[in-house]
């Protein structure tokens, strides 16, 4: 429900704006990125430099993790990568898992290495993830890369995939970042904090919003860019949005829907229909950030591969 003033504002926008927000098509942008990557891989192969190698270690038989790994494998092979799927039993010891990671770290055919999360409870995730070679940490979430991300004057070997995808969506949609105000809703280590820092590095003035932020709608309404990563279904309403603002919706939430074959539909953290008349540009769910995450994983792997190529001046 909206306040009387908010309803008047929405009515005003609906009667004065002739066009709804431009939809930022993450699926289309991701396809463009993957095509560019494939061309680079084809050129490297033609020059006898080999191809990028991406390894994904999966422990156990979680169906969701298996689905994610299949998607990564499919995208990698379509771009001409060599894809290594390393499937390990759920009862593997931490020592044996570490040994497998060390094998991948030293394998010259592997340029990117991911340990699919979550891991079984008997595995210490931080300890295991810290052992991935930072040069092959294409998730960009290892301690050395995160430290470099947050240290002024340093650059990580790879930026975290989802935040990098968000920035790429904004850039390729011609959203000005420098000098603009941005609100990031959510402060997770995977999305909220890294993307806030990356926006700040690009000279935006950033506010991180969270569950204790007072009058969060007012804070967001003062911003030109909103990144919604709250993990709360359709949390961002029309009264959060400055007219013409750009919105990136990171959320993935399931809503019961008997009309759908699977019995549910996916919605984001933004009330898409309510915000569409107010925003200038916004990403949908599905078809927004999701496809970009895998595209950025491939981009990071390609970058790691290129760093190992002979110098042109050599």
């Amino acid at each position: 429900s909206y306040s009387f003033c908010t309803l008047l504002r929405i009515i005003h926008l609906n009667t004065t704006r002739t066009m709804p927000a431009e939809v930022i098509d993450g699926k289309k942008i991701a396809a463009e990125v993957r095509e560019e990557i494939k061309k680079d891989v084809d050129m490297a192969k033609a020059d006898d430099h080999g191809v990028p190698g991406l390894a994904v270690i999966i422990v156990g038989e979680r169906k969701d993790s298996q689905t994610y790994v299949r998607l990564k494998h499919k995208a990698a092979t379509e771009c001409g990568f060599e894809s290594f799927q390393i499937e390990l039993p759920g009862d593997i010891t931490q020592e044996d898992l570490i040994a497998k990671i060390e094998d991948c770290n030293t394998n010259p055919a592997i340029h990117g290495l991911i340990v699919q999360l979550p891991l079984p409870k008997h595995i210490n995730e931080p300890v295991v993830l810290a052992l991935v070679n930072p040069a092959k940490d294409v998730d960009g979430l290892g301690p050395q890369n995160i430290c470099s991300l947050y240290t002024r004057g340093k650059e990580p070997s790879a930026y975290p995939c989802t935040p990098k995808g968000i920035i790429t969506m904004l850039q390729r949609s011609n959203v000005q970042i420098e000098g603009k105000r941005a609100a990031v809703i959510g402060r997770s280590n995977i999305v909220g904090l890294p993307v806030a820092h990356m926006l700040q590095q690009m000279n935006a003035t950033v506010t991180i919003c969270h569950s204790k932020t007072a009058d969060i709608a007012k804070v967001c309404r003062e911003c030109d860019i909103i990144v919604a990563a709250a993990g709360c279904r359709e949390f961002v309403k029309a009264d959060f949005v400055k007219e013409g603002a750009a919105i990136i919706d990171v959320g993935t939430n399931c809503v019961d829907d008997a009309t759908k074959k699977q019995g549910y539909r996916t919605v984001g953290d933004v009330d898409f229909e309510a915000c569409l008349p107010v925003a200038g540009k916004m990403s949908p769910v599905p078809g927004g950030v999701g496809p970009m995450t895998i595209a950025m994983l491939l981009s990071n792997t390609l970058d790691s591969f290129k760093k190992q190529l002979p110098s042109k001046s050599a």
Side-chain angles (χ1 to χ4, degrees):
S1 62
Y2 299 113
S3 68
F4 179 69
C5 290
T6 300
L7 286 171
L8 287 178
R9 179 169 172 262
I10 295 171
I11 292 169
H12 169 73
L13 289 168
N14 281 329
T15 55
T16 56
R17 290 189 64 181
T18 57
M19 293 288 288
E22 174 189 333
V23 175
I24 299 175
D25 190 342
K27 191 173 180 180
K28 180 173 179 285
I29 296 171
E32 292 169 354
V33 171
R34 290 197 305 269
E35 185 58 34
E36 292 163 9
I37 291 170
K38 187 176 185 304
K39 288 179 181 178
D40 278 1
V41 173
D42 289 343
M43 288 177 59
K45 194 172 182 180
D47 291 338
D48 292 326
H49 292 315
V51 299
L54 175 62
V56 181
I57 295 175
I58 178 171
V59 181
E61 298 181 351
R62 281 180 60 115
K63 297 300 182 186
D64 55 348
S65 292
Q66 290 173 336
T67 299
Y68 296 143
V69 170
R70 281 197 299 270
L71 289 172
K72 291 167 184 175
H73 171 73
K74 181 174 183 289
T77 53
E78 286 176 350
C79 287
F81 288 31
E82 186 172 2
S83 179
F84 301 83
Q85 286 184 267
I86 302 167
E87 299 178 359
L88 302 174
D91 60 355
I92 189 172
T93 65
Q94 182 162 306
E95 291 72 22
D96 286 344
L97 175 56
I98 289 171
K100 184 60 67 174
I101 290 171
E102 290 173 347
D103 286 345
C104 293
N105 282 340
T106 57
N107 186 339
I110 294 174
H111 306 93
L113 173 60
I114 296 170
V115 179
Q116 184 68 41
L117 301 179
L119 292 170
K121 291 182 179 179
H122 68 280
I123 303 291
N124 188 320
E125 283 188 3
V127 168
V128 166
L129 295 179
L131 294 173
V132 174
N133 182 345
K136 297 186 179 187
D137 171 29
V138 289
D139 257 343
L141 295 172
Q144 186 167 319
N145 278 324
I146 288 295
C147 182
S148 296
L149 173 64
Y150 294 138
T151 303
R152 190 174 179 87
K154 283 194 173 184
E155 189 169 342
S157 298
Y159 286 91
C161 296
T162 299
K164 182 178 177 180
I166 292 166
I167 297 297
T168 302
M169 290 171 75
L170 292 170
Q171 290 175 321
R172 294 201 178 208
S173 301
N174 298 313
V175 174
Q176 184 178 339
I177 296 175
E178 184 171 353
K180 298 298 182 178
R181 295 194 62 183
V184 176
I185 306 174
R187 48 183 172 178
S188 73
N189 290 328
I190 295 174
V191 180
L193 294 180
V195 79
H197 194 77
M198 291 166 73
L199 287 165
Q200 184 175 278
Q201 286 179 325
M202 300 177 75
N203 297 317
T205 300
V206 182
T207 301
I208 298 176
C209 300
H210 45 78
S211 59
K212 303 301 181 184
T213 301
D215 200 349
I216 191 169
K218 181 178 183 295
V219 173
C220 291
R221 199 162 53 242
E222 295 172 349
C223 293
D224 309 287
I225 299 167
I226 298 174
V227 177
C232 185
R233 185 182 74 191
E234 298 181 329
F235 177 72
V236 176
K237 303 294 185 182
D239 62 336
F240 282 56
V241 184
K242 176 181 179 180
E243 183 176 356
I247 305 175
I248 301 293
D249 190 349
V250 187
T252 304
N253 310 280
C254 294
V255 178
D256 291 339
D257 189 338
T259 67
K260 301 295 182 181
K261 184 178 178 181
Q262 62 269 44
Y264 66 89
R265 58 189 170 87
T266 304
V267 300
D269 288 353
V270 177
D271 187 335
F272 188 83
E273 295 301 327
C275 295
L276 198 63
V278 189
K281 300 181 181 185
M282 62 186 298
S283 69
V285 175
V289 173
M292 292 298 298
T293 298
I294 291 180
M296 295 302 102
L297 173 65
L298 300 178
S299 173
N300 284 346
T301 305
L302 177 63
D303 288 344
S304 176
F305 167 73
K306 285 181 174 179
K307 289 171 185 175
Q308 298 183 32
L309 292 179
S311 172
K312 290 182 179 180
S313 59

